[in-house]
Amino acid sequence: MKEELHAMRLSAKERIDAADSPRALEDARVTFLGKKGELAVFTRRLGALPEGERPAAGALIHAARAALEAAFAEKSAALTARAEQEKLLAERLDVTLPGKNPRFGRRHPMSIVLDEVKEVFLGMGYSVAEGPEVETTYYCFDALNHDEHHPARDERDTFYFDCRTILRTQTSSVQIRTMERQKPPIRVISPGKTYRKDETDATHSPLFHQIEGLVVDEGITMGHLKGTLEELMRRIFGPRARLRFRPHHFPYTEPSAEVDLLCFACGGKGCRMCGNEGYIELLGAGMVHPRVLRVCGIDPQRYSGFAFGVGLERLTMMRFEIPDMRLLFENDMRFLLQFDMGGSRP
Ligand code: DAH
């Protein structure tokens, strides 16, 4: 039995040496030390030995078990240590590697100008109103006093979903929604997206943005309109900004005006910037038409109001001297990184 035990210990040692994973080691342990393992066979054979030989054989088996258990424990510890070492190596962080710099965004130039406009109007006690971009012809045209054949309704200019549902062509629709909801005094601006079937070029885009303004109260006059717009433009373009009001026609205002800004490049003499006009067309405005007030349930005998609508792209292009509207939509970082650095005025 002594030689057999010795042979078993040798083959166990071979298996232990060869085991290169906890799993293989456990398999080997079961083979030799398990309940039905090789050592158990020796224990069972004890009973068949003459009584006098049993203590010595038992001692041999015991010594073999102790030696095997120690060998397994030692190898198991070695495998665990190796696994830990490998894990540490795999998780090693090279803190000397250069980091990844997150790139910070900037406000879009149109957001900068819109924030400036909002600041001016919120300071004057206005609130911001919003309306849907998918709009009915009632809010965009009918209630705004466009007659049945008004050219703005043309399918060649307006995106129709069906004969009554469109993408709004102007934020003026929000005037009506506001006056339906709220009775005077009313002071709101309403910035938002607007849509027209225009080809994209340096000054047009089928999607653009407008800011609408509406004030309704007792005793509101054209003087209030002029003063308000002059204040706005001085805050956006600097104290030397000068406006010119020209008579115009809009169905929902009477009288109506187009408002131009004195060209800051040439001071009114005429140059490339203003197409030799001396002024640059900026926005439409006027006194809210009595019919529009009446449609919204506001008594035109008692109340009057002014309204204006300005293109945010146009305002932004003039504010930052951007020559082509497409730059505002292309998201070219080289372009966008030039803004929002404190804001220098022209
Ligand atoms: N809705 C006009 C446009 O899209 C701009 C406008 C003109 C708005 C006169 C007004 C206004 O509120 O009174 O060109």
Side-chain angles (χ1 to χ4, degrees), residues 56-75:
L60 282 174
I61 293 171
H62 186 72
R65 175 178 297 278
L68 284 182
E69 277 172 355
F72 275 108
E74 190 186 328
K75 180 67 189 244

Side-chain angles (χ1 to χ4, degrees), residues 222-294:
M222 196 94 179
H224 294 118
L225 170 64
K226 285 188 74 175
T228 304
L229 290 178
E230 275 165 2
E231 172 65 9
L232 171 68
M233 295 312 163
R234 279 196 288 263
R235 297 275 294 274
I236 304 282
F237 295 107
R240 285 182 302 132
R242 289 285 171 276
L243 294 183
R244 178 177 76 180
F245 286 67
R246 259 186 303 114
H248 198 75
H249 171 76
F250 297 104
Y252 36 94
T253 42
E254 182 57 37
S256 303
E258 267 194 336
V259 181
D260 306 327
L261 181 72
L262 184 73
C263 178
F264 39 72
C266 63
K269 286 197 224 55
C271 67
R272 258 193 16 200
M273 179 86 183
C274 57
N276 274 326
E277 293 288 330
Y279 283 86
I280 302 169
E281 188 188 315
L282 196 57
L283 57 90
M287 300 304 293
V288 182
H289 199 292
R291 259 191 243 164
V292 175
L293 292 174
R294 214 174 292 124

Side-chain angles (χ1 to χ4, degrees), residues 72-94:
F72 275 108
E74 190 186 328
K75 180 67 189 244
S76 173
L79 284 179
T80 307
R82 197 182 75 186
E84 260 167 26
Q85 192 62 28
E86 277 168 3
K87 191 158 171 248
L88 280 177
L89 276 176
E91 287 176 358
R92 194 172 124 147
L93 258 184
D94 183 352

Side-chain angles (χ1 to χ4, degrees), residues 18 29 39 46 51 56 70 87 90 99 105 115 128 138 169 176 188 222 270 285 304 329:
R29 198 190 62 78
L39 198 69
L46 273 182
E51 208 163 319
K87 191 158 171 248
D115 284 350
V128 176
Y138 175 78
T169 58
I176 305 299
V188 292
M222 196 94 179
S304 56
F329 294 107

Side-chain angles (χ1 to χ4, degrees), residues 169-170 172 175 196 210 212-213 250 252-253 284-286 307-310:
T169 58
Q170 50 185 359
S172 303
Q175 289 186 29
R196 284 181 204 174
Q210 288 188 334
E212 194 78 12
F250 297 104
Y252 36 94
T253 42
F308 61 87
V310 56

Side-chain angles (χ1 to χ4, degrees), residues 129-140 143-144 164-166 168 171-183 186 188 190 214 292 295-296 298:
E130 284 189 356
E133 289 166 36
V134 175
E135 186 54 284
T136 63
T137 48
Y138 175 78
Y139 286 106
C140 211
L144 285 164
R164 281 169 13 114
T165 321
I166 57 171
R168 69 178 175 194
T171 45
S172 303
S173 52
V174 187
Q175 289 186 29
I176 305 299
R177 291 183 173 276
T178 304
M179 287 188 279
E180 279 184 351
R181 251 197 336 261
Q182 189 187 333
K183 294 307 154 206
I186 294 171
V188 292
S190 181
L214 173 71
V292 175
V295 160
C296 299
I298 294 173

